[in-house]
Amino acid sequence: MTLPLEDRLAITELIALHGHLVDEGELDRATEVFTPDVEYDLTDFGRGTLTGLRQLVDASVALGAANPVAHHVTNVVIEEPAEGQVRVRSKGLGIRTDGSCGSVTYVDTVVRIGTGWRIARRKVSVRRTPLTPGS
């Protein structure tokens, strides 16, 4: 089944909305991005998987000043739907207060909730080594 252009646009905007809400401190609007039982995998950061919006919001608040001041998302790739889900891969850049930058890869499982889309699972992976031929 081919995903209609309208859904592709809605999913791309969903992925982008996350950074805006986090950067603006609007964590009370997390329901606009995630399912209530979201699984947010931060294993690469040594934090395991957070389950549910409350854990996700609490973890964000607990980071305090360690949170990036800007989240940017790019390279969004939406795969064709399978079993009521869509897999989305994107790249994220986080800018810290000192100007340093970190890069991650998001792998999201996106599901339709009513007439909209929400992220049900997100795995955040950090790439710590540059491209090496054969790797």
Side-chain angles (χ1 to χ4, degrees), residues 30-69:
T31 58
E32 295 177 34
V33 177
F34 300 104
T35 61
D37 59 348
V38 63
E39 293 178 17
Y40 204 97
D41 186 343
L42 294 169
T43 304
D44 270 11
F45 292 91
R47 303 196 61 207
T49 299
L50 306 172
T51 303
L53 286 176
R54 183 79 270 145
Q55 279 191 358
L56 180 56
V57 169
D58 288 350
S60 297
V61 170
L63 275 178
N67 277 298
V69 295

Side-chain angles (χ1 to χ4, degrees), residues 8-27:
R8 288 181 172 279
L9 179 59
I11 291 168
T12 300
E13 288 184 356
L14 170 73
I15 301 300
L17 180 60
H18 171 258
H20 287 284
L21 296 182
V22 171
D23 292 349
E24 294 163 8
E26 296 184 50
L27 302 179

